[in-house]
Amino acid sequence: MKNAARRWLVVGTTLLVSGTAAAGLTLAQEASSRSPAPVHYAGLINDYTPSAAVTKGGPYEMRGKWTLDVDERRGFARFSAAITMETSDFGITQGTVNKDEPSTRGAHTHHISVTDGVVNSDWMRSCPKFSVPVTDGFVITGMATIAGNGGPAPFGNPSPVTICVLGGGDVKYSNITIAFGAPASSHFGTQAINGVVVRCSEPWEQNSRDCTLEE
């Protein structure tokens, strides 16, 4: 009887350990299949301001790079951008640019910093519409500090800003838009400034598939 009891104890213990191991493996597989949301983003800005009738010296071409770090736990974000601006060829048509003198294009730079951004999911109400609709995203609101040619921006600081990170079914996060309030809107315009998400990564700098097109 004692030997039989021992055998049943060994079998029961083995089944219990096997079941626990199997459950642990299932949970690990489920966890690995749920990739964490990206927390680091980077991309490019490519857009135009309104014409000189709205923005002095415009329409400016805007070209630059940006980065975004999101603290999911606290719901805060840090954004920075470095862009160049100069009057586009339309300035020749409106008489504000001499095509033979590039200096008349008013080339200059801006560095933009947002350190207190608040993250929320109300992108459908807060973000611009696109001709090819976006279906996912999030919004960051906060105050932006802006430098002009390395010094204080002539229009003053700080300015409210709304940053939207948006995308669709194939690339979850593909677009970024940046919209300024006063006083920065007097220079950049009140419209959304458009850019592209080039890459994003998960915690511990693991590359995320949320910002790329997977074949």
Side-chain angles (χ1 to χ4, degrees), residues 114-158:
V114 180
T115 60
D116 61 348
V118 178
V119 183
N120 69 79
S121 59
D122 192 17
W123 62 271
M124 294 186 71
R125 185 177 67 88
S126 304
C127 300
K129 303 295 186 291
F130 292 87
S131 56
V132 178
V134 295
T135 58
D136 206 346
F138 60 91
V139 187
I140 297 161
T141 56
M143 300 300 290
T145 301
I146 304 170
N149 289 339
F155 43 79
N157 278 306

Side-chain angles (χ1 to χ4, degrees), residues 76-179:
F76 289 113
R78 180 185 296 269
F79 173 84
S80 65
I83 65 174
T84 61
M85 295 178 67
E86 63 179 341
T87 308
S88 72
D89 282 350
F90 186 73
I92 300 171
T93 302
Q94 65 184 8
T96 57
V97 167
N98 182 337
K99 68 181 187 304
D100 299 318
E101 293 185 22
S103 62
T104 61
R105 293 181 182 268
H108 60 281
T109 66
H110 290 292
H111 287 75
I112 303 166
S113 176
V114 180
T115 60
D116 61 348
V118 178
V119 183
N120 69 79
S121 59
D122 192 17
W123 62 271
M124 294 186 71
R125 185 177 67 88
S126 304
C127 300
K129 303 295 186 291
F130 292 87
S131 56
V132 178
V134 295
T135 58
D136 206 346
F138 60 91
V139 187
I140 297 161
T141 56
M143 300 300 290
T145 301
I146 304 170
N149 289 339
F155 43 79
N157 278 306
S159 296
V161 64
T162 300
I163 301 167
C164 298
V165 181
L166 307 165
D170 292 333
V171 182
K172 186 174 182 178
Y173 302 118
S174 57
N175 294 39
I176 188 170
T177 66
I178 307 160

Side-chain angles (χ1 to χ4, degrees), residues 20-98:
T20 303
L25 179 60
T26 300
L27 290 172
Q29 290 173 338
E30 289 177 355
S32 65
S33 66
R34 296 192 302 269
S35 297
V39 294
H40 307 293
Y41 301 78
L44 305 174
I45 295 169
N46 291 280
D47 210 341
Y48 298 85
T49 71
S51 70
V54 178
T55 303
K56 182 180 178 180
Y60 288 106
E61 295 186 18
M62 293 180 283
R63 305 285 183 263
K65 295 181 178 182
W66 60 268
T67 61
L68 173 66
D69 296 316
V70 177
D71 184 336
E72 285 189 299
R73 182 176 61 84
R74 298 173 57 205
F76 289 113
R78 180 185 296 269
F79 173 84
S80 65
I83 65 174
T84 61
M85 295 178 67
E86 63 179 341
T87 308
S88 72
D89 282 350
F90 186 73
I92 300 171
T93 302
Q94 65 184 8
T96 57
V97 167
N98 182 337

